[in-house]
């Protein structure tokens, strides 16, 4: 890419690399990244793996 284009999109590239550092939930049972956050029975937060069905809080 020409330097002028890189200069214009530099801040966008930095934002994209920062966004990738967000903590991702991993299923402790199967290791899948397909995890949904759900409301628990007592109002707490629980998680369920949409790949294997394992749930935890």
């Amino acid at each position: 890419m020409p330097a002028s284009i890189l200069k214009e999109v530099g801040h966008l590239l930095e934002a994209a690399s920062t966004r990738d550092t967000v903590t991702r939930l991993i299923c402790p049972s199967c290791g899948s990244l397909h995890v949904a956050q759900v409301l628990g029975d007592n109002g707490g937060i629980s998680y369920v793996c949409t790949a294997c069905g394992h749930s935890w809080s």
Side-chain angles (χ1 to χ4, degrees):
M1 274 188 200
S4 60
I5 292 174
L6 287 175
K7 183 178 177 182
E8 291 293 323
V9 298
H11 67 283
L12 296 175
L13 296 174
E14 290 173 17
S17 66
T18 301
R19 187 174 40 227
D20 285 341
T21 62
V22 172
T23 303
R24 299 181 193 256
L25 294 171
I26 299 173
C27 175
S29 181
C30 72
S32 173
L33 293 174
H34 298 276
V35 175
Q37 184 176 344
V38 294
L39 187 60
D41 292 337
N42 296 323
I45 301 296
S46 296
Y47 306 95
V48 63
C49 176
T50 58
C52 74
H54 177 75
S55 61
W56 70 100
S57 54

